[in-house]
Amino acid sequence: MNEKTWLARSAAFFAGDSEPMAEAGAVAVIGLGRFGGSLALELAKHGVDVIGIDNDEAVVAEYADRLAFATRADATDEVVLRQLGIDEVSRVVIAIGSDLEASILAASRILKIGCQHIWAKAISETHGEILHQLGIKNVIRPENDMGRRLAHLIRGHISDFLPIDDDFVLARTTPPVRVADVPLASLGVRATYGVTIVAVKRAGSRQWDIADRDMTLYADDEILIAGHPREVERFSELDKDTDN
Ligand code: ATP
């Protein structure tokens, strides 16, 4: 897509405000490093028009054929951002990490321009705090989030782990022996263990079914549970004593 098409598209794309980012059309990704680059390619793979911006010519060249539009620009320069049409953009990802000054400046410029939906990567707690204080609501800490997730996976009882918030996660695990073979209604899982069983995948099936009270879980099922990370962890480890 050339610049003209992108500009022609931008008003329509960026007009919406309540839809999830990837469903709304194009997304501007600023900083095509490892994180920004793989995010941009993943979005592009799913049919999203991605506008990639980086101040390194060689990086831009690498993405030129793979994104809807890629351009070399300094994201800390408000005039340049406006020339690029970022003032019409309501969905932006700032994926500049190690250059703290550039990240903060770009964030403040984009906020000033008036973009409503901004995701910004932080590489430290302080960096994240500064971005929050500036007014960025969605601060991502990829290394941290991945580290937390991996810690749960490596410990073995959870096969997938998705932190939704500090106090709420989704985890994929197997039913502990003490909740298997009896209808869920008779167990009071939420009251006893503080977690909710959200969905069940039967052994050999490819399909997840929403859990309901009349269901009975079996040891070879997979389940998706939701709750506070501490309770989710505790629940997924109920068989630990019997494992050893
Ligand atoms: P990675 O995602 O690779 O871990 P990182 O966290 O180290 O990256 P940086 O290297 O700071 O982040 O930045 C990622 C990308 O952002 C780089 O390709 C860099 O060229 C680009 N970048 C840095 N400053 C700016 C800027 N002012 N304007 C546009 N792009 C920038």
Side-chain angles (χ1 to χ4, degrees):
M1 187 169 77
N2 60 28
E3 187 159 358
K4 201 161 153 260
T5 322
W6 135 241
L7 287 173
R9 248 175 219 244
S10 58
F13 135 43
F14 297 117
D17 60 3
S18 58
E19 296 166 81
M21 182 168 69
E23 280 173 29
V27 173
V29 178
I30 296 177
L32 298 169
R34 282 166 302 182
F35 173 72
S38 60
L39 170 71
L41 291 179
E42 192 64 20
L43 287 167
K45 205 168 92 186
H46 291 278
V48 178
D49 283 342
V50 177
I51 294 91
I53 299 170
D54 200 290
N55 64 355
D56 185 326
E57 190 75 62
V59 172
V60 172
E62 212 183 297
Y63 288 89
D65 295 337
R66 301 194 278 169
L67 302 180
F69 179 69
T71 188
R72 199 199 81 79
D74 179 0
T76 65
D77 186 330
E78 188 182 329
V79 175
V80 170
L81 289 173
R82 286 188 189 275
Q83 279 167 355
L84 280 171
I86 294 287
D87 53 336
E88 294 176 62
V89 167
S90 62
R91 289 170 171 82
V92 184
V93 182
I94 303 167
I96 303 172
S98 48
D99 188 342
L100 201 68
E101 189 178 323
S103 156
I104 293 164
L105 272 177
S108 71
R109 303 291 189 244
I110 289 160
L111 282 163
K112 184 174 169 211
I113 285 170
C115 300
Q116 297 293 315
H117 299 282
I118 309 168
W119 282 255
K121 167 182 158 166
I123 55 164
S124 68
E125 206 172 325
T126 317
H127 186 185
E129 266 174 35
I130 297 169
L131 290 168
H132 264 304
Q133 278 163 10
L134 276 175
I136 305 281
K137 296 196 186 75
N138 308 295
V139 175
I140 324 146
R141 297 271 314 272
E143 283 88 355
N144 249 37
D145 296 346
M146 194 57 204
R148 278 173 69 193
R149 189 160 170 254
L150 202 55
H152 287 276
L153 306 191
I154 286 172
R155 293 183 62 201
H157 291 275
I158 289 175
S159 60
D160 211 347
F161 183 86
L162 179 67
I164 305 291
D165 232 322
D166 279 350
D167 58 359
F168 194 79
V169 300
L170 276 175
R172 178 180 184 155
T173 185
T174 49
V177 168
R178 69 189 77 173
V179 304
D181 303 322
V182 277
L184 280 176
S186 63
L187 288 167
V189 171
R190 199 174 304 168
T192 313
Y193 304 107
V195 301
T196 302
I197 297 174
V198 180
V200 181
K201 190 177 179 196
R202 301 295 187 194
S205 167
R206 296 167 64 95
Q207 182 189 317
W208 284 91
D209 295 311
I210 298 297
D212 67 52
R213 298 168 43 76
D214 301 326
M215 257 180 186
T216 297
L217 301 180
Y218 302 104
D220 54 0
D221 289 341
E222 279 191 282
I223 54 173
L224 198 59
I225 57 175
H228 191 284
R230 188 183 49 238
E231 318 293 358
V232 163
E233 180 90 1
R234 203 175 288 159
F235 182 79
S236 67
E237 288 186 344
L238 282 175
D239 286 347
K240 204 170 164 192
D241 299 340
T242 46
D243 281 356
N244 298 328

